Amino acid sequence: MLIRGGKRLGRRQKAEAGPGITVEISEGKSTMRIAAGLIFAGAVSLCLSGAAWSQTPAAKGTATSPAAAAPAPAPAAPPAPAKAACANPDALGIGRVVEIDTTGGPGFGFEHFKQLDFLRDKEVVLTFDDGPWPVNTPSVLKSLADECTTGIFFIIGKHATYYPEILKQVAAAGHTVGSHTWSHATLTNKKLTEDQRKEEIEKGFSAVKWALGGASPSPFFRFPALQHPPEMVTYLGTRNIAMFSCDLDSFDFKARNAQQVIDVTMNKLDKLGKGIILMHDFHKHTAEALPALLRKLKAGGYKVVQMKAKAPVQTLPQYDEMIVKDVKLPTVSSRPVSSVVQTISE
Ligand SMILES: [Zn+2]
């Protein structure tokens, strides 16, 4: 269990940390205590996320050309996480697995949340935003599989309804799935009412659940553009949803090519020595950069930490219903009207 990198994990240890977070570590002999709480560190971010802002779906098989809305298939059975052994003896693998108790809405990522410094030197968490998206997300999945490693995918709800089959591949590969709002709205936008902000958050989770055939994702959330309105930070706390900023931004959405993604990420990482890395499976250059970037992490002695939630998110029924209403029913027949309906009497 919890092994995808071909590494043997030792006994599991668990540390209760009062009213906050329990981190359970599947690894050798480490026990970690983490105090509860988070610090909201202002609205200005050095760590701006790339913007996908609710794109229309691309034509199947291309990553760039917009097309008409994809038909929405009916939800199917939840995927079973893959447990295949790693075939690559030199894989990056998974160094450690931590379990997160999201009670009270802990915050991760030093760009905004300073309390929970749980990564050890040379440890990284790979995070991918704005998917699922054709071509690029499957490419990222392949690169991670080739290195028997894993990441957290922060999903845009609308994109999940466009491409549920791709999202199912993410979950089936055993990666952690969180949410990144319904439509990538910046929640600090003053034009949005409080109800609209909550709807962006809640519908995002409900859409991911719908696309996964009813399997709830992790209660892990990332604000679009890393803009954290204080009242929504508080709200997520009441919903027991963890918030993810980042420690270092790959700035892949600005990169002119794959090499730039690699260079920016490795330069920042070598300075910091560890961290939660923000990338976008939505972007072509990221997908192209990932095989070499993962090799560089391995060569640099970095180890990937898998973050798993102790319990799935509890979606709210009214938002689950909204998604069902929003998503068009699958087409049962593509025959033209004239071949189905014929006037026989008039
Ligand atoms: Zn984003």
Side-chain angles (χ1 to χ4, degrees):
M1 61 185 293
L2 304 177
I3 302 170
R4 297 186 58 255
K7 305 215 173 203
R8 228 153 35 83
L9 301 179
R11 65 202 164 95
R12 292 161 69 93
Q13 297 191 350
K14 189 173 181 179
E16 293 288 346
I21 296 156
T22 300
V23 177
E24 189 173 287
I25 301 164
S26 297
E27 184 245 24
K29 25 181 180 310
S30 304
T31 300
M32 176 173 293
R33 283 182 178 272
I34 292 178
L38 61 88
I39 293 174
F40 172 64
V44 179
S45 169
L46 298 173
C47 201
L48 291 173
S49 164
W53 58 93
S54 166
Q55 305 267 344
T56 50
K60 300 278 182 192
T62 74
T64 50
S65 21
K83 286 181 180 144
C86 182
N88 175 3
D90 189 40
L92 176 60
I94 298 172
R96 190 157 71 106
V97 183
V98 297
E99 186 175 83
I100 308 300
D101 180 345
T102 62
T103 304
F108 295 95
F110 264 51
E111 289 288 349
H112 295 88
F113 304 104
K114 313 287 188 191
Q115 198 86 9
L116 300 171
D117 184 14
F118 74 99
L119 288 177
R120 301 170 190 159
D121 206 28
K122 289 276 182 183
E123 284 188 336
V124 295
V125 176
L126 307 175
T127 69
F128 300 95
D129 292 5
D130 296 358
W133 204 250
V135 182
N136 298 334
T137 301
S139 170
V140 165
L141 291 178
K142 181 181 184 307
S143 301
L144 294 173
D146 287 347
E147 292 289 340
C148 306
T149 193
T150 193
I152 308 174
F153 287 74
F154 290 100
I155 303 296
I156 294 177
K158 275 191 181 177
H159 291 183
T161 64
Y162 300 156
Y163 304 112
E165 295 309 320
I166 299 175
L167 182 55
K168 281 182 183 137
Q169 290 169 29
V170 175
H175 302 299
T176 299
V177 176
S179 173
H180 192 42
T181 71
W182 164 245
S183 71
H184 209 271
T186 304
L187 299 187
T188 46
N189 181 348
K190 297 220 180 330
K191 289 181 184 159
L192 295 178
T193 65
E194 182 149 335
D195 281 349
Q196 286 171 322
R197 289 170 211 210
K198 285 180 186 169
E199 187 173 317
E200 273 289 323
I201 292 169
E202 298 294 352
K203 268 179 80 175
F205 280 106
S206 290
V208 172
K209 181 180 173 183
W210 177 89
L212 290 176
S216 290
S218 299
F220 290 178
F221 178 81
R222 180 172 270 154
F223 284 98
L226 299 183
Q227 297 293 301
H228 300 70
E231 69 279 12
M232 288 299 108
V233 170
T234 302
Y235 175 71
L236 287 167
T238 67
R239 293 279 290 115
N240 299 321
I241 293 171
M243 286 156 272
F244 284 72
S245 174
C246 66
D247 295 315
L248 65 109
D249 194 334
S250 66
F251 282 114
D252 55 351
F253 62 99
K254 287 184 177 175
R256 289 188 300 274
N257 52 49
Q259 189 59 46
Q260 209 174 6
V261 178
I262 297 166
D263 292 344
V264 169
T265 305
M266 292 310 299
N267 284 343
K268 288 184 179 177
L269 188 55
D270 287 339
K271 280 188 193 119
L272 287 173
K274 63 178 184 177
I276 298 172
I277 304 173
L278 170 57
M279 294 174 277
H280 296 82
D281 56 308
F282 175 81
H283 282 294
K284 178 169 166 265
H285 293 324
T286 312
E288 290 170 351
L290 206 56
L293 180 59
L294 297 177
R295 283 285 83 202
K296 285 222 171 217
L297 291 175
K298 170 78 178 178
Y302 291 101
K303 294 197 180 326
V304 172
V305 173
Q306 180 175 23
M307 296 179 76
K308 295 169 79 93
K310 190 175 178 186
V313 73
Q314 299 290 317
T315 59
L316 301 178
Q318 68 265 38
Y319 296 99
D320 291 345
E321 286 160 21
M322 273 187 208
I323 296 298
V324 172
K325 280 182 194 151
D326 276 9
V327 174
K328 291 177 201 143
L329 290 170
T331 306
V332 292
S333 170
S334 57
R335 289 162 59 200
V337 172
S338 62
S339 80
V340 177
V341 181
Q342 288 216 358
T343 304
I344 56 169
S345 171
E346 192 167 58

